[in-house]
Amino acid sequence: MIGAVREEYGFDWPPNFSEERHSEYVIKHNRKQNKYISRWKDLNGDYTRSPKLKKMVRKGIPRRYRFEAWMQISSAGANMKANPGLYDRLIVRCAEKTYKNIMNEADENNLTCLKLDIPRTFPEHPGFREPVIRNNCQDILMAFCLYRPETGYCQGLNYLVGSLLLATQHPDGELRSEECFWLLVSLIDTIPDYHTTGMKGIERDCRVLEAYFNKKVPQTWQHFASFRLPIQLFAVKWFICLFVDVLPFHTVLHVWDTFFYEGNKILFRVAVYQMISHKDSIKSLDDECKLATYLKENFNWDPKAWDNYEYMKGVFQKTGKMSKERLEQMRQS
């Protein structure tokens, strides 16, 4: 077993991941990356939306191009350009204010959660044991609270910011805090009402996801539903954290590639594929305790999703089309 060896973003390999499987994946990953890097290089930094670019994004953005591509295909780059110096001014305001004045003064729970969640963000990752990345994570979250006081802080935002910092880190180790702030704004704008008080968007989309499960994997979902376990048992984390800590980190970033390009409908396609890829195991379980244990053990850095290329291929080939228009109709119904 690999054990102490870390994957490319600094996380430990999961204990159920074998060295042989790792070697096979690395060979495939390097081969595909070399091919994709050549194609992305030919774009010369022009990420204008097109059928060709959509296809390329679905296959995964190479790590060296991910930061600049995310900034362009999301609203982050345009927002940052339209608001020069805003992030720095927000940081200055954070330094001038107390925590209580930054947060909504009527919501002490938000304040307490933010302060507690910083050291809880990826505690096993060596980078997050250092004050530099923790401080940057806190700065971004506090600046966001000032920028979007109607949203404030919600648990799960720390994992989004931590993931953005890791994904966009400069090769020399420098953190891109301002860019991550605007990427966070773009993420939140794409998932309305997920991180607000009451999380109304989460409750709404859990109902929509149930309908998709019933349509796409009816037998599996009916078996699951027979145990009367709420879909929120797993779906809330999927939506709040955008599959961080559910899928392997490199697969999460592949999901986010498509999320930034195609919007939040991708979350439903990934969710449906999670159920498809685990349907045989779920249908074999005969009581709710076994099912709950299975979800806890297998929906955490899911080993079935380690090969991000095959996983995302399955997402787009086996879940069927999901249009934004149809999704909005289901949300309104």
Side-chain angles (χ1 to χ4, degrees):
M1 303 296 289
I2 292 177
V5 178
R6 299 181 185 277
E7 51 84 74
E8 63 176 315
Y9 289 95
F11 291 95
D12 286 332
W13 296 112
N16 59 354
F17 197 72
S18 70
E19 189 168 357
E20 179 181 1
R21 188 179 178 190
H22 168 55
S23 298
E24 292 173 354
Y25 172 77
V26 167
I27 292 172
K28 179 177 183 177
H29 172 73
N30 290 341
R31 184 178 68 250
K32 285 186 172 292
Q33 285 289 291
N34 289 336
K35 180 172 64 175
Y36 295 163
I37 285 171
S38 176
R39 294 175 182 174
W40 282 86
K41 183 179 179 181
D42 289 342
L43 295 177
N44 293 317
D46 180 6
Y47 304 119
T48 304
R49 289 174 175 267
S50 67
K52 175 184 177 182
L53 183 61
K54 180 179 179 180
K55 185 177 180 179
M56 291 173 64
V57 169
R58 284 188 169 190
K59 290 183 177 180
I61 303 174
R63 183 174 182 176
R64 70 172 65 177
Y65 293 106
R66 179 167 277 134
F67 162 67
E68 64 180 46
W70 279 5
M71 291 297 290
Q72 289 195 42
I73 64 178
S74 72
S75 60
N79 285 339
M80 182 173 165
K81 185 177 180 179
N83 296 278
L86 176 60
Y87 177 73
D88 290 336
R89 292 193 296 274
L90 291 171
I91 295 301
V92 170
R93 288 176 61 193
C94 287
E96 293 173 346
K97 290 177 175 285
T98 64
Y99 274 94
K100 185 174 181 179
N101 288 333
I102 290 171
M103 306 301 295
N104 182 339
E105 293 186 13
D107 195 347
E108 289 293 326
N109 289 332
N110 269 353
L111 167 61
T112 302
C113 286
L114 190 153
K115 295 170 74 173
L116 290 174
D117 282 351
I118 296 298
R120 293 173 177 171
T121 307
F122 301 134
E124 302 302 321
H125 191 288
F128 281 85
R129 298 175 193 152
E130 302 296 327
V132 173
I133 195 165
R134 285 188 179 186
N135 290 341
N136 274 268
C137 188
Q138 177 176 292
D139 284 347
I140 294 168
L141 289 169
M142 298 303 286
F144 181 77
C145 290
L146 285 178
Y147 183 70
R148 288 283 176 82
E150 70 276 12
T151 300
Y153 178 73
C154 173
Q155 285 185 302
L157 289 179
N158 57 315
Y159 283 102
L160 300 186
V161 172
S163 299
L164 289 169
L165 286 168
L166 290 176
T168 63
Q169 190 171 14
H170 194 276
D172 67 6
E174 180 183 357
L175 299 172
R176 294 179 165 116
S177 299
E178 181 178 10
E179 291 84 353
C180 287
F181 168 79
W182 289 112
L183 285 167
L184 175 65
V185 171
S186 179
L187 283 175
I188 299 306
D189 285 346
T190 311
I191 44 175
D193 297 329
Y194 276 19
H195 299 87
T196 55
T197 302
M199 298 188 297
K200 295 180 180 179
I202 293 288
E203 290 300 316
R204 173 201 64 207
D205 281 358
C206 280
R207 293 193 297 270
V208 173
L209 184 57
E210 283 192 70
Y212 271 124
F213 281 160
N214 202 40
K215 178 181 179 181
K216 303 290 185 178
V217 280
Q219 292 182 344
T220 305
W221 181 243
Q222 288 166 17
H223 180 73
F224 183 100
S226 69
F227 297 113
R228 300 186 181 279
L229 292 175
I231 191 173
Q232 289 85 352
L233 181 68
F234 56 88
V236 169
K237 181 178 180 179
W238 292 4
F239 287 144
I240 284 283
C241 296
L242 305 185
F243 293 97
V244 173
D245 264 1
V246 176
L247 305 176
F249 192 70
H250 57 278
T251 306
V252 170
L253 299 186
H254 196 156
V255 171
W256 286 17
D257 292 341
T258 59
F259 177 84
F260 276 122
Y261 194 91
E262 300 185 46
N264 59 41
K265 68 176 184 177
I266 292 300
L267 301 181
F268 293 89
R269 298 192 76 162
V270 174
V272 168
Y273 188 65
Q274 273 292 97
M275 195 62 69
I276 290 173
S277 62
H278 289 272
K279 64 180 182 179
D280 292 338
S281 296
I282 289 174
K283 287 191 290 187
S284 71
L285 301 172
D286 56 10
D287 70 61
E288 61 186 50
C289 291
K290 290 179 181 178
L291 178 57
T293 300
Y294 181 85
L295 296 176
K296 181 178 179 181
E297 292 179 351
N298 292 277
F299 285 6
N300 181 16
W301 278 63
D302 185 355
K304 290 180 178 289
W306 201 264
D307 186 334
N308 57 293
Y309 305 107
E310 288 302 313
Y311 184 83
M312 293 304 291
K313 182 179 178 181
V315 166
F316 291 111
Q317 289 187 351
K318 296 184 179 181
T319 62
K321 292 184 177 180
M322 295 184 185
S323 69
K324 293 180 181 179
E325 294 75 19
R326 177 54 182 156
L327 177 57
E328 289 305 316
Q329 288 175 1
M330 295 178 69
R331 283 172 167 159
Q332 299 302 320
S333 63

